[in-house]
Each structure stands twice: as C-alpha cells, then as structure tokens.
C-alpha cells in the first residue's frame, strides 16, 4: 500500500479471520426505560452478566474490542471524540484505523478483502459501516482514502475503480443503483473462473469519491423505497457494497486487481430458530435463510479448522453465502465486526451475537488459498519468445484486446460522469425546494434510511396515495390510491384524510382536516411514518434526530394509554424500574408496528383476522400474592366466527415472516390460495385462559368453613365472571365439621389427618359466554403438591352455569410444610374459555370419561390406604397374640407364620395386579382423540369403550381377589383360635 499505515496494533496472521466487537451507547428508548449496562471490557476481554442473575458472567476474547458506550463528547464539527485522557472511548477513527486500513492494505497489495458487520437490529452495525453525519463509518472513509492515494500516484500507473451496491431480501437480489426493478430480482450465476456473480448487476466506473458518495445516496434512496413497497425494513435485508479495484502498471506490463466486499448483514435475531417454538408452522425460511445458512457455513468452517471431518460446506444454500464464498472459503482477507447493545433488556440477543462471533473466530484459512491477483504480461512475453509464430500472433491479439478494454473503460467512465452530473443537478434542485416549501421526510426503523425520502407540499392542494396521478405518490401497507390531501395556503399547511383512510398525527388518529405544525409526526397507512418540516422561517436549531422511529411509536403507545407506569413500577434496590417491566415495554413498542402491518395484510388478503397486543399477567399474582412475570402476547380474533387465539411473541414474529411471504406473492400477482394447514393466518381452535381468582386457605388451618363469592379477574385486573365456591373441613367419611371442631392453634393438626372438600357451585355473568353464546367454560385448580390440575366438567351455552362439583382431599399426616401452605397460600381457581364445534363436544364427553376414571383411581387409593391400615391392625393383633401365647406349641407358631406369609403373598399379588391397572389407566389418560375427523373419532370412541371395560373388569377382579384372599386368611385364623386349647 503506497500510503503509510496508521495502525498501532499488530495485525493477526494473514491466514486467519479477524474479529472485533463494539458496544454502542444507550439508545433513546433504552434511556427512557432506565436500562442498565450489562457489558464490560477489560484487558482485551469482553464480559456480559445476566441481569436476572448478576453472578452469572460470560467472558469472551476477540482480536479487538471497542468501548463506544461512554466517555465521549462532541467537538465543534459534531464528531464524537474521547472526553479526556482517562476515557477509553473508541470512535469512528479508531475503528477505521484498525479495520478499514487493513482493507485498504489488502486492496493495494492485490488481495481480495471482505468486511462483515453482524449484530441484532439497532446494535450499531450500520453506524460502524456507514456512519452518521460528521461521524462517517468505514465504507465512506475507505472509498475516500482510496481515491486520495490514487490522485497522488505516478502517471505511469492507471487505476480503475468500479462500484456496485445491492440488497438481498427474501432471497431476492435488488440492484440499488438501477431504478428499474426486475420481478423476482436478479439471478445469481456461476462461472468457472470468477465463481458466483450477479447477472445484470449495474457496475459503475468511478474516478472520484464524490461520485461514490452520490451513488451511495442514490442506492440508499432506492433501498428505502423498495423496503416500503415490499413491507420490509432494512433490518431484514443484507446490503452488499462491492468495489472492484484494478491497478495497471504500464511500464512493467503488470496488473493487480482486488475485490472489496463491504457487507452490512441483516439483524442477527433473524438467525434464531426459536421463532417457531410452540408453532405448528416452520419459520419464514426465505426471510431467515441467508443468516441461517451463513451460521451453518461458519460452523462447518470452524469444525474444519478444529480438525473435524466435514463432508459438505453449504455455500450454495443461500444467495448471500454464494456471493461470499471466496471471502468465507479463504480467497480473501476477512474481518468481522460484531456490534452489540449494552442494555439489560437486550441481554439475550447480545449474548447470542457474542457467541456467534466467537464461533467465527475459530475459522483459520489455509495460506495457499489467499491469492495475490497479479497478471504480468512481461513474463508472459518472455516465456513465449522462443515459441512458434502463431503464439506470438496470439500475444499481439491479447495486447490489442487490452487496449480495446482500456478504450471501453474510458467510454464507460465518461457515461458514468454524465449520469453523475444529472444526479447532482437533481440534488441541487431538491436543496432549492427544501429552502422554499414545507415537506415530509421519512422516518425509518434504520437511522441510515431515515431522512432519505422527501415529499414537497407546494402551494395549493395536493393529493397523496398509491396512484401515480397523485402529486405525491407513496407506497406501503395500508396506503390507498387516494389516501389524503394536503393544502398549503398562505404558508399554513393542513392534512385531510379521505374516507376511512388511516392518518395519525402525533399519536392520535384523525378523521377531519387538521392543521400541521413544524415537526409534527404523521403516520399514513399501517406503518409509514413521516416528520413534517415547515417553512424555513419556522426552522429552529433543534436536533431532529430525536424524532426517530422509537419516538414515533412510543408516542403512539402513550396516546393509546400504554406506558411503563401502567405495567407497574416495581422498584429494585437501586430505585429503578424492574428490568422485566422495562423489557415488556420494549417488546410492546417493538411489536406495535408489526401488529399494525399484520392487520393490514389480513384485511387486504381477506383473512378476517384482527390482532391486538396484550400484556400477559399484567395484574396477576401467584399463590403467595407475588406478581407473575409479565410478557407481551398477541390476541387474535376472527371477525366472522369470533374464535380467539393467543400467540406468544416468538410465535407472532414467526407468523409475521410467513405472512410477508404470502403478501409478497399477492403483490407480485401470484395465486395466494393456500391450504389451511400451511396458512399463517389460521390455527386450530384452542382453550383460552380467561381469568383467575385467589381463594385464601388460612381458615382451613383452623378447621373453619370457607364460603366465597369472588371475582375471576383477567390479566388486566378486570372482572370476567363471579364464582361461588365453598371449602369445607370434614372427617374422613365426609362429615362436615361444625363450630365445635374449630381449633385455636394450627399446630394442633401436626401429624394428624386433615380432610377438606372443595365445592364449586356456580359461575355468574361469564363475559366470554355473553359475547358469544355458543362458547363454553371450564374451571381448573391445583391443590398443594398434586402433580396435575383438576378440572370441572365443561359447560356450554350458559352465561350463569351451575357446576355443583365436589372433590374431597386428604392429608394423612399434616406436615409443617402443609400447615404453612394453608396459612400463607391461596387456591388459584382458573377460568378457561372453550370454543369449537360438535366434534369438540364429543371430545368433551370423552374427557368426562377420563375424569371418571381419575375419580375411580382416587377411590382405589382410598381402598389402598384402608388396606394398609387393616394390615397394621392385623400385625398389631398378631403381635399381641404372640406375647400372650409365647408358650404355645411350635406347631401353632409355624401356623401363625404361615398365615403371615399367606397374607404377605396376597398383598404382593394385589399390588402386582394394581400395577397392571395403573398401566391401563395411564394408557387411557394419554390416549388422545383425533382432530377434525369424525370417522376416526367414532373408531376412537369404540376403542375407548373397550379400554374402559377392560379397565373396570381388571379393577373389579383385583379387588375381589384381595377380598377373597383376606377372607380366607381371616377364616383360617379364626378356626385356629377356636381350636386353641
């Protein structure tokens, strides 16, 4: 490299991958949520602790670690610099010195170079790669320094720089320098010599950094427009900038060429497979495929480096890994920068990123693979000097071809200059209009794409919508052909929605003409956010970056009444809100726009689903009264059938990917008919948890009767129904205790048998049934340490259903633990909502048979207990007889021993039989009915009946045999006692 390297740190071996990690400052959302930093860097190591368990610390070691979280200030130019000599802050210049400089070194030496940025959405990947404002990232600085050195080179050298910029989304390649969009994207093809390449990708010759700067602006604008049209944010796509750099040494007849790949990868959370946990459908594979495959390739290469046998490295499984095969396979000097968030609410994603980067660190390339791309015509000419005349002619033809290529290069460069001049004129015109008219500027989830699109509101009236006939043409979910109208009269701007079109101003939906103020936030359609910039006279020095994507959706949530205060401000020891509460708030804000998009897709695809965000366990507590952990869920309701589902955050995210795939096919004009089993908008009906009631059991510890009429509250703390329930202490035979049986000290019950009955009488005013009368309900509860919950029989089509179910529980020997449970715990009674068809009612009948079996099993346990007690009495009797008759003959002793042996034998046979019965019961319990198939259901019912019959016969036979055996032993014993002298 002709210039002097500024790096003060030693470079690793050329044959190994270089991995760096960088931690960013808190985002505004993280600051608002009071987040804590869980990352620390010390002596080259990076550590992260679990906010739920601070003693649990993971430590990683990478080639470079950049602390960019704190210790910085802005200089007069707006550049972030170290705040003092004691600050360990690493800014953009340090990152370029260590990473970008290495890319330039490789390019000048004729080696290929690749720089990958990896991390979760919003972790700072794009900031390190592109930068923001005065804080330019690696890509623009690499390009600028490349041309700076080229301009100072000797005149006997020529340099050719070609620039391309593409995006990979949903396995489609989009050319970001071409305004024409090809359906299905560009194709990736393979050539024996150059490997994989993108067919038809626009390669733009450049002779100055200013040209590259304009090309990047153009590419970013096309990327923003494409993401809006395809309902895809940049967090779901990869951006690849490729610079082909050729050095031609005219005197030496030597050519050096290198390819620089600068890759800003999609958000790393797309790589996780947990999105499909608990879901019958697979993940949105086309959305996740590239990162998943990249992880598989890296794992395979790491295994190779560690000496493991690897049969196949799956480069061909995705577009991204095809294009990066040379970089990943060894013919490139490769650097990865892993960007991480320091916030406790991002702990899981940050830990995942660090583990991924550590895996990448294990890759070591074979030195023979990294090639220096040099071609020497001089050496070729010398080797051919003694060859036949034909080969000399061939050499002359090659030299002529090279001259032709040079002429072609000059022509292409001139054409690129003309296009650049046109773009420059358009940019100049845009700047003039910004100084004259008010306008809208886009707000994107990716800060790099915010402020890219500008829509000017000129004097008079202008319509906005999807139709190209509008003065302002906008694309995106939920934007109709004629969506709204802007008026600009006398410098006063107002917006008027068209009929039923969704327009939100500063978080509040509007339906009539509304006057706009400078810096108002506007959402059009499901999730297209804009900042309104008024006339130049209204402009101030206020920092517009605060009005970002998070600000807009936090404002929208606040307008809907959702805030950290609503979640509950449980304070930790340091006086800050509980991290789990902050995490829920973070998830809620993050999912709001996604739910809005899903609703719009449901409407356009005529799926009749309505999705809404809820917080699970918002006002719920456990049996001790402690708050349950809150989490965000998505409630899904079918507008026609009124069926309801509840999706977890992971399941909704997974379904959202699949919905996008289906919706994209709809936009492309393809057939979107899909069978029910693969439809992301469909699920089988399920049981819904409606609410809970706490019945405190303290009175049982004093043998007092408890009669309750209490509210069943949903997770929001609102009443869903009223339940009438009695809990009554009783004797072993079911006799209810009265006031005379009450005790003063619960310790009086220690070691004694305690019996009580739970009697569920009725539910009143069940809202679930009031909304849809065809539905049903069921009550469930769990007592102490029982391994499973108990349920009442299902009740259908009755808003005030009578249950009249009684279950008796027994503790044979009350322990301290059980008495503490009675005094400090509540019985949690859950209300479950049932929904479905006649088939579901048949299944409910089968369920009742299982319940009956369980009751019979409980009766069997009581019989067992009685037999054990009788056995103890018999043993005591035998022992007393032995003491009274210790002088009786040896024959009598042998006979008594024989009776005991026969009794033990009978008990052993009984327990063996009972094990067989238990096996039959478990088989019945786990024998599940088929879904949605009446024919199979009838077969299932018949089979169930046979099994029930076999079970009853086996149970009766076992008990009858035991009774007969015991009766025979008792008879023999009585006879022996009667014959006693």
């Amino acid at each position: 490299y002709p210039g002097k390297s500024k790096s003060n740190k030693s470079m690793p071996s050329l044959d190994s991958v270089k991995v760096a990690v960088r931690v960013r400052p808190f985002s505004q959302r993280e600051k608002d949520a009071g987040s804590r930093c869980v990352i620390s860097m010390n002596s080259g190591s990076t550590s992260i602790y679990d906010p739920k368990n601070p003693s649990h610390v993971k430590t990683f070691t990478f080639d470079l670690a950049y602390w960019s979280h704190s210790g910085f200030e802005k200089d007069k130019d707006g550049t972030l610099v170290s705040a003092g000599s004691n600050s360990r802050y690493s800014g953009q210049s340090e990152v370029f010195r260590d990473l970008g400089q290495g890319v330039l070194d490789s390019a000048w030496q004729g080696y290929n170079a690749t720089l990958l940025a990896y991390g979760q959405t919003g972790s700072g990947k794009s900031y390190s790669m592109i930068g923001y404002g005065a804080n330019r990232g690696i890509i623009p600085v690499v390009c600028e320094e490349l041309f700076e050195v080229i301009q100072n080179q000797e005149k006997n050298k020529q340099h050719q720089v070609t620039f391309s910029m593409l995006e990979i989304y949903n396995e489609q390649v989009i050319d970001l320098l071409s305004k024409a969009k090809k359906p299905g994207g560009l194709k990736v093809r393979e050539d024996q010599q150059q490997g994989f390449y993108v067919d038809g990708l626009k390669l733009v010759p450049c002779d100055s950094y200013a040209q590259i700067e304009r090309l990047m602006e153009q590419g970013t604008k096309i990327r923003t427009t494409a993401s809006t049209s395809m309902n895809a944010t940049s967090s779901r796509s990869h951006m690849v900038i490729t610079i082909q750099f050729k050095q031609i040494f005219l005197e030496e007849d030597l050519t050096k060429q290198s390819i620089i790949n600068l890759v800003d990868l999609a958000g790393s959370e797309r790589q996780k497979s947990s999105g499909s946990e608990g879901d019958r459908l697979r993940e949105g594979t086309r959305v996740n495929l590239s990162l998943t495959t990249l992880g598989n390739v890296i794992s395979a290469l790491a295994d190779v480096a560690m000496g493991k046998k690897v049969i196949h490295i799956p480069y061909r499984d995705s577009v991204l890994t095809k294009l990066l095969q040379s970089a990943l396979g060894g013919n490139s000097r490769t650097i990865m920068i892993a960007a991480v968030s320091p916030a406790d609410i991002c702990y899981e994603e940050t830990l995942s990123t660090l583990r991924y980067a550590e895996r990448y660190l294990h890759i070591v390339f074979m030195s023979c693979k990294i090639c220096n791309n040099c071609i020497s015509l001089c050496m070729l000419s010398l080797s051919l000097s003694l060859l036949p005349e034909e080969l000399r002619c061939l050499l002359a033809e090659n030299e002529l071809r090279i001259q032709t290529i040079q002429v072609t290069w000059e022509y292409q460069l001139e054409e690129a200059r003309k296009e650049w001049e046109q773009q420059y004129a358009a940019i100049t015109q845009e700047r003039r209009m910004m100084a004259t008219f008010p306008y809208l500027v886009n707000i994107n989830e990716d800060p790099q794409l915010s402020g890219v699109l500008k829509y000017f509101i000129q004097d008079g009236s202008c319509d906005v919508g999807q139709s190209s006939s509008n003065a302002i043409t906008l694309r995106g979910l939920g934007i109709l052909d004629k969506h709204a109208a802007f008026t600009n009269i006398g410098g006063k701007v107002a917006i008027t929605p068209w009929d039923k079109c969704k327009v939100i101003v500063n978080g509040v939906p509007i339906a009539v003409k509304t006057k706009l103020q400078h810096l108002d936030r506007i959402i059009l359609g499901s999730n297209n956010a804009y900042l309104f910039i008024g006339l130049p006279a209204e402009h101030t020095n206020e920092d517009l970056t605060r009005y970002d994507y998070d600000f807009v959706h936090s404002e929208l949530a606040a307008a809907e009444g959702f805030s950290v205060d609503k979640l509950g401000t449980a304070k930790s020891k340091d006086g800050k809100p509980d991290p789990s509460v902050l995490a829920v708030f973070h998830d809620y804000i993050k999912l709001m726009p996604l739910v809005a998009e899903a609703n719009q897709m449901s409407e356009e695809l005529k799926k009749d689903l309505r999705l809404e965000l809820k917080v699970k366990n918002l006002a719920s507590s456990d049996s001790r009264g402690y708050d349950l952990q809150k989490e965000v869920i998505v409630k899904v309701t079918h507008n026609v059938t009124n069926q309801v589902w509840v999706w977890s955050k992971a399941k909704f995210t997974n379904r959202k990917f699949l919905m996008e795939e289906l919706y994209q096919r709809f936009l492309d004009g393809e057939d979107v008919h899909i069978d029910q089993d693969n439809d992301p908008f469909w699920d089988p009906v399920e049981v819904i948890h409606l609410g809970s009631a706490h019945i405190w059991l303290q009175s049982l510890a004093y043998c007092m009767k408890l009669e309750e009429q209490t509210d069943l509250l949903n997770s929001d703390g609102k009443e869903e129904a009223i339940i009438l329930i009695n809990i009554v202490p009783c004797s072993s035979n079911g006799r209810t205790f009265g006031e005379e049986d009450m005790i003063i000290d619960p310790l009086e019950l220690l070691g004694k048998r305690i019996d009580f009955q739970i009697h569920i009488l009725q539910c009143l005013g069940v809202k679930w049934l009031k909304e849809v009368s065809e539905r049903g309900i069921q009550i469930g509860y769990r007592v102490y340490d029982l391994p499973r919950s108990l349920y009442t029989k299902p009740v259908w089509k009755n808003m005030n259903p009578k249950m009249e179910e009684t279950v008796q529980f027994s503790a044979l020997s009350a322990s301290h633990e059980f008495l503490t449970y009675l005094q400090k715990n509540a019985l949690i009674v859950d209300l479950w909502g049932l929904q479905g068809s006649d088939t579901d009612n048949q299944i409910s009948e089968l369920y009742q048979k299982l319940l009956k079996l369980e009751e019979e099993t409980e009766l069997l346990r009581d019989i067992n207990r009685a037999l054990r007690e009788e056995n103890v009495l018999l043993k005591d009797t035998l022992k007393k007889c032995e003491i009274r008759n210790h002088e009786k003959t040896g024959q009598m002793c042998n006979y008594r021993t024989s009776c005991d042996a026969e009794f033990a034998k009978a008990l052993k046979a009984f327990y063996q039989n009972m094990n067989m019965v238990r096996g039959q019961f478990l088989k019945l319990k786990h024998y599940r009915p088929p879904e949605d198939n009446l024919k199979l259901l009838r077969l299932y019912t018949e089979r169930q009946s046979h099994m029930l019959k076999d079970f009853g016969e086996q149970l009766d036979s076992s008990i009858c045999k035991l009774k007969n055996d015991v009766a025979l032993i008792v008879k023999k014993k009585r006879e022996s006692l009667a014959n006693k002298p």
Side-chain angles (χ1 to χ4, degrees):
Y1 171 46
K4 183 179 178 181
S5 174
K6 301 177 183 178
S7 178
N8 296 324
K9 301 185 181 181
S10 60
M11 291 283 288
S13 166
L14 295 178
D15 303 339
S16 66
V17 171
K18 188 175 183 180
V19 179
V21 62
R22 189 180 192 188
V23 56
R24 62 159 172 77
F26 284 137
S27 66
Q28 189 60 47
R29 177 192 291 170
E30 291 163 349
K31 288 178 184 177
D32 294 342
S35 299
R36 294 175 292 177
C37 179
V38 295
I39 292 280
S40 63
M41 291 178 174
N42 186 29
S43 301
S45 65
T46 300
S47 299
I48 179 171
Y49 75 85
D50 186 345
K52 296 178 182 177
N53 183 13
S55 62
H56 187 210
V57 180
K58 292 278 188 181
T59 301
F60 303 84
T61 302
F62 301 103
D63 295 305
L64 294 163
Y66 297 106
W67 179 262
S68 302
H69 175 62
S70 60
F72 58 88
E73 61 184 10
K74 278 187 181 181
D75 65 9
K76 60 180 182 179
D77 299 322
T79 305
L80 299 180
V81 295
S82 177
S85 56
N86 295 328
S87 172
R88 40 192 191 123
Y89 175 74
S90 295
Q92 298 285 63
S93 59
E94 287 80 12
V95 174
F96 172 77
R97 178 192 67 199
D98 300 329
L99 304 180
Q101 197 74 52
V103 170
L104 280 174
D105 290 345
S106 298
W108 282 103
Q109 294 166 17
Y111 291 98
N112 294 337
T114 299
L115 177 61
L116 301 165
Y118 182 88
Q120 75 176 101
T121 302
S123 61
K125 302 186 306 297
S126 298
Y127 179 78
S128 293
M129 296 293 280
I130 306 292
Y132 191 83
N135 299 281
R136 296 187 303 162
I138 294 173
I139 293 176
V141 178
V142 162
C143 296
E144 184 178 38
E145 294 225 352
L146 179 64
F147 281 106
E148 186 178 316
V149 176
I150 287 175
Q151 290 170 3
N152 297 325
Q153 289 297 293
E154 300 173 6
K155 298 197 175 180
N156 59 354
K157 295 180 184 177
Q158 287 187 357
H159 303 86
Q160 296 180 0
V161 178
T162 304
F163 182 89
S164 66
M165 187 174 179
L166 63 85
E167 181 178 45
I168 302 171
Y169 172 73
N170 211 14
E171 286 303 283
Q172 292 187 10
V173 178
I174 302 164
D175 188 349
L176 295 178
L177 300 183
S178 174
K179 294 180 181 179
K181 181 190 173 185
K182 186 176 181 180
L186 302 179
K187 302 300 180 185
V188 176
R189 306 194 186 281
E190 187 176 12
D191 180 81
Q192 282 189 342
Q193 293 184 344
Q194 69 180 106
F196 289 104
Y197 68 97
V198 179
D199 188 19
L201 183 67
K202 188 173 183 179
L203 306 175
V204 182
C206 302
D207 61 356
S208 70
Y209 169 65
Q211 280 182 281
I212 285 185
E213 195 173 32
R214 295 291 175 265
L215 288 170
M216 288 177 63
E217 288 181 12
Q218 176 189 342
T220 303
K221 186 171 289 189
I222 292 176
R223 186 184 189 194
T224 307
T225 305
S227 68
T228 304
S229 300
M230 293 191 303
N231 182 40
T233 62
S234 62
S235 63
R236 298 171 212 161
S237 66
H238 315 286
M239 184 186 71
V240 182
I241 287 177
T242 302
I243 300 170
Q244 297 181 7
F245 177 48
K246 185 182 292 186
Q247 304 172 70
I248 302 172
F249 300 82
L250 299 177
E251 293 182 355
E252 296 91 344
D253 288 332
L254 178 69
T255 298
K256 281 186 182 180
Q257 58 185 18
S258 65
I259 297 175
I260 303 172
N261 290 308
L262 303 166
V263 186
D264 187 357
L265 294 169
S268 59
E269 64 271 18
R270 307 298 172 217
Q271 182 212 1
K272 293 170 62 178
S273 61
S274 60
S276 56
E277 288 179 1
D279 195 352
R280 63 184 176 83
L281 293 179
R282 58 175 176 77
E283 287 187 312
T285 50
R286 284 171 62 85
V287 173
N288 294 327
L289 182 61
S290 288
L291 270 183
T292 302
T293 305
L294 179 61
N296 294 339
V297 168
I298 288 172
S299 293
L301 291 173
D303 288 343
V304 171
M306 289 186 285
K308 296 181 181 179
K309 185 177 179 181
V310 176
I311 300 175
H312 171 65
I313 298 176
Y315 293 115
R316 296 175 178 271
D317 289 358
S318 79
V319 169
L320 177 68
T321 47
K322 283 179 183 177
L323 297 181
L324 295 180
Q325 180 173 1
S326 62
L328 298 168
N331 190 22
S332 176
R333 293 179 179 173
T334 305
I335 300 169
M336 170 185 274
I337 180 167
V340 295
S341 162
D344 49 5
I345 57 179
C346 298
Y347 167 75
E348 295 292 342
E349 293 293 353
T350 297
L351 180 60
S352 175
T353 299
L354 293 173
R355 284 174 172 162
Y356 189 95
E358 183 182 46
R359 187 73 172 162
Y360 197 82
L361 193 64
H362 293 157
I363 301 175
V364 178
F365 294 150
M366 300 298 293
S367 58
C368 62
K369 286 188 179 180
I370 303 182
C371 304
N372 187 285
N373 304 313
C374 300
I375 302 172
S376 174
L377 294 178
C378 242
M379 293 297 294
L380 181 61
S381 178
L382 182 62
S383 65
L384 294 178
S385 60
L386 301 176
L387 295 179
E389 187 65 28
E390 292 84 356
L391 292 179
R392 293 192 182 91
C393 292
L394 182 60
L395 176 61
E397 290 177 6
N398 286 338
E399 290 175 345
L400 181 61
R401 187 178 294 110
I402 289 172
Q403 292 175 7
T404 304
I405 291 173
Q406 184 65 24
V407 172
T408 303
W409 167 259
E410 292 294 340
Y411 173 77
Q412 292 175 342
L413 194 60
E414 183 59 31
E415 291 297 311
R417 284 195 193 101
K418 292 178 182 178
E419 187 175 342
W420 177 78
E421 288 172 358
Q422 293 175 358
Q423 293 174 4
Y424 185 78
I427 292 171
T428 304
Q429 173 65 15
E430 182 180 88
R431 288 174 180 168
R432 279 199 296 265
M433 295 187 72
M434 289 170 63
T436 308
F437 299 105
Y439 59 93
L440 302 177
V441 61
N442 73 303
I443 301 173
N444 196 283
E445 180 184 5
D446 186 346
Q448 302 295 329
L449 303 187
S450 286
V452 173
L453 305 177
K454 299 178 180 67
Y455 302 99
F456 296 95
I457 304 171
Q458 301 187 41
D459 295 339
S461 177
C462 62
D463 291 333
V464 57
Q466 294 255 23
S467 175
S468 57
S469 62
N470 295 313
I472 299 176
T473 303
L474 295 181
R475 308 289 182 191
L477 266 172
I479 295 183
L480 304 184
D481 287 343
K482 293 285 186 182
H483 196 88
F486 285 95
T487 55
N488 180 6
I489 300 174
K492 305 295 182 182
V493 180
I495 182 172
T496 306
W498 286 88
D499 185 37
K500 295 183 181 180
C501 290
K502 184 178 178 182
V503 177
I504 297 173
V505 177
N506 299 335
V508 180
I510 64 169
V512 296
K513 185 175 183 179
T514 303
K515 184 180 177 182
L516 296 178
Q517 302 291 334
H518 178 56
L519 301 183
D520 277 348
R521 283 75 57 198
I522 302 171
I523 297 178
L524 302 176
S526 60
N527 185 31
N528 299 275
Y530 302 92
L531 183 66
F532 172 68
I533 306 297
L535 290 168
E538 301 175 90
H539 296 185
T540 63
N541 294 326
E542 184 176 358
D543 184 8
L544 301 187
T545 57
R546 70 184 291 261
Y547 299 107
D548 58 6
Y549 192 79
D550 289 345
F551 183 96
V552 170
H553 289 95
S554 296
E555 179 179 59
L556 184 59
E560 294 176 357
F562 185 83
S563 65
V564 174
D565 292 335
K566 182 179 179 181
L567 289 172
T569 52
K571 302 290 183 180
S572 56
K573 292 181 180 179
D574 56 6
K576 294 182 179 179
D578 189 306
S580 63
V581 171
L582 301 177
V584 170
F585 182 76
H586 175 89
D587 288 342
Y588 193 97
I589 298 299
K590 187 176 181 180
L591 291 178
M592 279 182 64
L594 304 185
V595 169
E597 291 172 357
N599 275 321
Q600 187 61 40
M601 286 188 283
S602 171
E603 182 179 337
E604 294 189 33
L605 293 172
K606 295 180 172 51
K607 295 296 183 177
D608 294 320
L609 289 189
R610 182 179 72 258
L611 295 83
E612 54 185 321
L613 281 175
K614 297 286 184 181
V615 179
K616 184 180 179 182
N617 300 327
L618 181 61
S620 302
S621 56
D622 63 12
S623 64
R624 296 289 298 274
Y626 299 129
D627 287 345
L628 292 173
Q629 184 172 352
K630 301 171 178 62
E631 60 180 289
V632 176
I633 56 174
V634 179
K635 180 182 177 182
V636 184
T637 307
H638 196 284
N639 294 325
V640 178
T641 65
N642 290 312
Q643 291 175 335
V644 177
W645 298 265
V646 174
W647 291 350
S648 66
K649 171 190 169 185
K651 182 173 180 178
F652 167 72
T653 304
N654 178 51
R655 290 298 180 92
K656 178 66 164 44
F657 290 152
L658 295 167
M659 290 174 187
E660 287 173 8
E661 290 188 12
L662 188 63
Y663 185 71
Q664 188 60 47
R665 286 165 51 187
F666 170 72
L667 292 180
D668 293 340
E670 299 178 17
D671 180 18
V672 292
H673 175 75
I674 190 169
D675 62 280
Q676 199 174 57
D677 290 338
N678 294 313
D679 189 349
F681 291 91
W682 181 85
D683 252 353
V685 291
E686 59 185 31
V687 177
I688 304 296
H689 184 261
L690 302 177
S692 301
H694 284 56
I695 313 297
W696 295 96
L697 300 172
Q698 190 175 21
S699 63
L700 282 182
Y702 298 91
C703 293
M704 294 173 58
K705 182 178 181 180
L706 181 67
E707 296 181 347
E708 284 282 345
Q709 177 176 315
T710 187
D711 293 339
L712 285 156
L713 304 178
N714 61 23
S715 63
D716 292 333
K718 298 177 181 178
E719 180 190 302
E720 281 293 325
I722 297 173
I723 186 170
L724 306 182
I725 183 171
N726 294 343
I727 302 181
V728 184
C730 63
S731 63
S732 58
N733 61 8
R735 180 186 65 85
T736 302
F737 284 172
E739 292 183 4
E740 66 278 5
D741 297 302
M742 192 176 76
I743 62 172
I744 298 175
D745 186 356
L747 289 177
E748 294 179 33
L749 300 173
L750 187 63
K752 296 181 179 179
R753 173 168 174 160
I754 297 177
D755 289 86
F756 60 93
Q757 294 177 348
I758 295 178
H759 184 194
I760 299 176
L761 299 124
Q762 189 174 12
C763 268
L764 300 173
V766 183
K767 292 183 178 178
W768 172 256
L769 296 166
K770 186 177 181 180
E771 292 170 357
V772 180
S773 60
E774 299 298 314
R775 291 170 173 170
I777 64 162
Q778 199 168 16
I779 300 292
Y781 57 92
R782 179 180 293 184
V783 178
Y784 191 44
D785 60 354
L786 286 183
R788 57 179 178 78
S789 295
L790 299 177
Y791 295 93
T792 63
K793 62 179 178 296
V795 179
W796 297 83
K797 305 178 183 180
N798 188 344
M799 197 172 70
N800 301 297
K802 289 186 177 181
M803 306 293 185
E804 296 295 348
E805 292 205 15
T806 302
V807 179
Q808 182 167 327
F809 298 87
S810 300
L812 296 179
S813 179
S815 63
H816 279 287
E817 184 182 6
F818 181 68
L819 293 176
T820 302
Y821 164 77
L822 293 180
Q823 293 178 80
K824 295 187 176 181
N825 288 64
L827 176 72
I828 298 179
V829 179
D830 293 309
L831 176 65
W832 295 92
L834 308 178
Q835 49 189 344
S837 60
D838 293 336
T839 304
D840 299 303
N841 293 330
Q842 293 179 33
I843 293 172
S844 296
E845 291 175 7
L846 295 175
Y847 178 77
Q848 290 309 305
K849 291 183 180 180
L850 286 177
L851 284 180
K852 187 175 180 181
L853 281 176
E854 292 176 359
E855 291 174 3
E856 292 175 354
T857 304
E858 189 63 33
L859 177 62
L860 187 59
R861 291 194 186 101
D862 290 337
I863 294 172
N864 270 332
R865 289 192 208 103
L867 287 171
R868 283 198 297 269
E869 291 172 0
E870 186 177 352
N871 189 22
V872 170
L873 289 173
L874 286 170
K875 285 184 177 179
D876 289 342
T877 304
L878 288 171
K879 195 170 184 180
K880 290 175 183 177
C881 289
E882 183 179 5
I883 294 171
R884 274 197 312 266
N885 304 301
H886 63 281
E887 294 180 351
K888 66 183 178 178
T889 63
Q891 182 181 358
M892 290 298 295
C893 290
N894 291 337
Y895 185 74
R896 184 175 63 244
T897 303
S898 174
C899 285
D900 289 343
E902 288 182 14
F903 186 73
K905 185 178 179 181
L907 284 176
K908 183 177 180 181
F910 175 72
Y911 282 118
Q912 287 175 342
N913 289 334
M914 291 312 299
N915 278 332
M916 294 174 62
V917 172
R918 182 175 179 272
Q920 285 182 310
F921 172 73
L922 291 176
K923 188 175 180 181
L924 272 168
K925 185 175 180 181
H926 297 294
Y927 187 51
R928 298 300 183 207
E931 295 182 3
D932 301 329
N933 192 321
L934 289 175
K935 183 179 290 186
L936 291 178
L937 188 60
R938 292 190 193 97
L939 294 175
Y940 165 82
T941 307
E942 292 175 5
R943 173 66 176 156
Q944 188 86 339
S945 300
H946 289 306
M947 292 173 71
L948 283 168
K949 183 179 178 182
D950 292 343
F951 175 81
E953 290 175 353
Q954 183 68 31
L955 181 61
D956 291 340
S957 174
S958 300
I959 295 173
C960 183
K961 186 176 186 308
L962 180 63
K963 287 180 179 179
N964 291 337
D965 289 343
V966 172
L968 185 61
I969 293 169
V970 171
K971 181 180 179 182
K972 288 181 179 179
K973 194 155 190 174
R974 285 174 180 169
E975 288 176 354
S976 67
L977 291 173
N979 296 329
K980 187 170 67 173

